[in-house]
Amino acid sequence: GNSVTQMEGPVTLSEEAFLTINCTYTATGYPSLFWYVQYPGEGLQLLLKATKADDKGSNKGFEATYRKETTSFHLEKGSVQVSDSAVYFCALIPLNRDDKIIFGKGTRLHILP
Amino acid sequence: DAEITQSPRHKITETGRQVTLACHQTWNHNNMFWYRQDLGHGLRLIHYSYGVHDTNKGEVSDGYSVSRSNTEDLPLTLESAASSQTSVYFCASSLRTRAPLHFGNGTRLTVT
């Protein structure tokens, strides 16, 4: 079946460090891929998305590239800030009749000043 | 600006009571969803609706019900609250199938 696996947290980094949060998926065909972010006390917000192979989604300095060959959609940022502390969710919407979104379990990120 | 509003933000209730959590969206979206979020489980889908008078069960629907009488609202009812239903509940909506979701800020429910 369809699934999303992302690295377990928490991930703790110092401000200005490079960030990678790994995400791999299992799905048939070409699902749409997403990263959502959840700040404390809030709901999830769409951070970026990609809908086909080799697409790069980007927003607020974050990037992720849709890699069909490795079934991955890793989230990266070159220089993190304290305000990036949040929980990050990788997600996919499969390309089939059962097309509800499937979320990974989330990765908590702590950025130290 | 369009938004999705959940109420109340916090609720404490006793085992066995009926509880209704409200969700109201002004996006004019056809699709609405209810999730619960628990440590170690991530987000789990409870119920969803693709339009007025349409409702469907998600992966953890036992003990919950929804009804969709208009486009804007999808209330979630716990028929007889149980301690296992202590959780944070999120409502979400989307314009169409395969479109990104818009989330409310959640309701933290405690069942004592």
Side-chain angles (χ1 to χ4, degrees), chain A residues 38-60:
Chain A
Q38 183 181 28
Y39 299 105
E42 298 183 9
L44 281 69
Q45 304 173 23
L46 179 66
L47 181 60
L48 54 84
K49 66 177 182 179
T51 57
K52 60 183 187 293
D54 300 323
D55 265 3
K56 177 184 283 188
S58 61
N59 187 23
K60 299 181 181 180

Side-chain angles (χ1 to χ4, degrees), chain B residues 13 16 20-21 26 30 35 45 52-53 58-59 62 64 90 100 103:
Chain B
T13 192
T20 297
L21 309 183
T26 58
N30 287 325
Y35 292 88
L45 182 63
V52 177
H53 303 310
E59 62 181 297
D62 287 349
Y64 303 93
F90 287 98
F103 281 82

Side-chain angles (χ1 to χ4, degrees), chain A residues 30 32 34 36 38 41-44 46 49 89 93-95 99-101 103 105, chain B residues 9 33 35 37 40-43 45 48 50 90 97-101 103-105:
Chain A
Y30 289 84
S32 295
F34 305 85
Y36 283 81
Q38 183 181 28
E42 298 183 9
L44 281 69
L46 179 66
K49 66 177 182 179
F89 291 88
I93 297 180
L95 187 67
D99 49 14
K100 294 183 293 299
I101 193 166
F103 288 97
K105 292 192 173 180
Chain B
R9 289 299 310 273
F33 306 83
Y35 292 88
Q37 184 178 31
H41 292 279
L43 285 161
L45 182 63
Y48 59 101
Y50 287 151
F90 287 98
T97 303
R98 301 179 62 77
L101 297 179
F103 281 82
N105 282 331

Side-chain angles (χ1 to χ4, degrees), chain A residues 42-108:
Chain A
E42 298 183 9
L44 281 69
Q45 304 173 23
L46 179 66
L47 181 60
L48 54 84
K49 66 177 182 179
T51 57
K52 60 183 187 293
D54 300 323
D55 265 3
K56 177 184 283 188
S58 61
N59 187 23
K60 299 181 181 180
F62 291 89
E63 294 182 340
T65 301
Y66 190 142
R67 301 286 189 200
K68 180 66 175 175
E69 64 277 12
T70 55
T71 62
S72 64
F73 193 55
H74 304 322
L75 183 68
E76 297 182 336
K77 186 175 186 182
S79 177
V80 294
Q81 306 300 313
V82 172
S83 57
D84 294 326
S85 297
V87 181
Y88 292 81
F89 291 88
C90 186
L92 70 83
I93 297 180
L95 187 67
N96 58 29
R97 290 175 61 84
D98 184 17
D99 49 14
K100 294 183 293 299
I101 193 166
I102 297 168
F103 288 97
K105 292 192 173 180
T107 302
R108 184 173 297 276

Side-chain angles (χ1 to χ4, degrees), chain B residues 15-44:
Chain B
T15 301
R17 290 193 180 265
Q18 183 181 79
V19 177
T20 297
L21 309 183
C23 175
H24 179 81
Q25 52 100 0
T26 58
W27 290 96
N28 199 33
H29 286 168
N30 287 325
N31 302 341
M32 296 185 73
F33 306 83
W34 274 104
Y35 292 88
R36 59 178 290 174
Q37 184 178 31
D38 304 285
L39 276 175
H41 292 279
L43 285 161
R44 291 183 289 177

